[in-house]
C-alpha cells in the first residue's frame, strides 16, 4: 500500500477541520475525516474520531468487518460524549471514510459525505454512498445529480459520527486487485470535480505525487471554499 496525501485549509476557512491517517510500517489502513461544529469543535471531532478508530484497528490481527463496525461505534461514542461534556462543542461531529486491506480484500467503512473512489482498468467509480439530503433526493428521482451539485442544502449531512448516541455506518468488502487505485477525499475536493475529471487526472501520465498536487491545485483554483484533503492509495503493483 503506497499512499500520497495532501491537505489544505482552502481559501476561505481559517481552521482546517479535516483529519487523516497514514499507515505506519506494517499497517494497511487509511482514514479521512471531515469535522463539523463551532469554533475548533470540528477540528477536535475529526482528530478524536481518527485517533479512536485507528486505535482499534491497530489491535486487530487481521482486517475484518466486525472490527470495523466496533471501531466506528467506539469513535462515535468518544465524540458524542465529548460534545455532551462541553457546551462549546455541543453538536460537533465528523464524517469518516476508511480503507483497510489484506492480501485479497479491501474493506471500506464510511459515514457522511467524504468519498472513496476506485480506479480500475482506466474506469473510475464512486464506491461510497453520500449520506446527504441531496443524495437521498437523487436516489428517489426527485432531483438530478447536476441539480444536487448546486442545491442550497447540498451540504446537509444526514449521518455523521458523534451527532447521535448510536451510528449505522456503511461497511463494505471488495476484491483487491494489484494496480487498483483508491482516492479518499473530503468534500472540499469532490465538490469541485465530476467523475470524468477525476478519472482523467488519475489516469494521466504524471506520477502520483504530481496527480495529488494537480487535484489540490484545481480545487483551490476553483474557489477552495472548504478544507481540502485527499489520499491516493495505490495497491501493490501500481506504477509510481
Amino acid at each position: 500500500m503506497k499512499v500520497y496525501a495532501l491537505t489544505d485549509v482552502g481559501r476561505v476557512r481559517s481552521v482546517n477541520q479535516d483529519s487523516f491517517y497514514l499507515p505506519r510500517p506494517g499497517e494497511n489502513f487509511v482514514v479521512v475525516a471531515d469535522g463539523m461544529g463551532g469554533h475548533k469543535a470540528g477540528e477536535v471531532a475529526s482528530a478524536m474520531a481518527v485517533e479512536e478508530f485507528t486505535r482499534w484497528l491497530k489491535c486487530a490481527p487481521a482486517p475484518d468487518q466486525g472490527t470495523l463496525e466496533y471501531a466506528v461505534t467506539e469513535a462515535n461514542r468518544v465524540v458524542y460524549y465529548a460534545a455532551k461534556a462541553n457546551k462549546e462543542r455541543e453538536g460537533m461531529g465528523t464524517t469518516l471514510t476508511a480503507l483497510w486491506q489484506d492480501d485479497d480484500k479491501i474493506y471500506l467503512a464510511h459515514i457522511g459525505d467524504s468519498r472513496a473512489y476506485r480506479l480500475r482498468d482506466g474506469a473510475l467509480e464512486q464506491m461510497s454512498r453520500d449520506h446527504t439530503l441531496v443524495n437521498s433526493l437523487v436516489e428517489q428521482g426527485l432531483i438530478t445529480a447536476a441539480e444536487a451539485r448546486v442545491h442550497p442544502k447540498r451540504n446537509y449531512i444526514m449521518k455523521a459520527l458523534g451527532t447521535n448516541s448510536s451510528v449505522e455506518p456503511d461497511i463494505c468488502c471488495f476484491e483487491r486487485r494489484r494496480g487498483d487505485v483508491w482516492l479518499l477525499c473530503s468534500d472540499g475536493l469532490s465538490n469541485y470535480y465530476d467523475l470524468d475529471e477525476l478519472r482523467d487526472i488519475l489516469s494521466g501520465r504524471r506520477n502520483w505525487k504530481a496527480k495529488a498536487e494537480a487535484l489540490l491545485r484545481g480545487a483551490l483554483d476553483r474557489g477552495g471554499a472548504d478544507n481540502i484533503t485527499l489520499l491516493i492509495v495505490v495497491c501493490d503493483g501500481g506504477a509510481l
Side-chain angles (χ1 to χ4, degrees), residues 87-99:
K87 285 191 175 182
E88 292 183 356
R89 297 175 181 170
E90 186 176 358
M92 74 176 179
T94 183
T95 71
L96 187 140
T97 302
L99 287 186

Side-chain angles (χ1 to χ4, degrees), residues 10 85 116 178:
R178 290 174 63 86

Side-chain angles (χ1 to χ4, degrees), residues 36-42 79-92:
M36 63 195 79
H39 180 61
K40 288 197 173 182
V79 176
Y80 178 77
Y81 284 107
K84 288 289 186 182
N86 188 332
K87 285 191 175 182
E88 292 183 356
R89 297 175 181 170
E90 186 176 358
M92 74 176 179

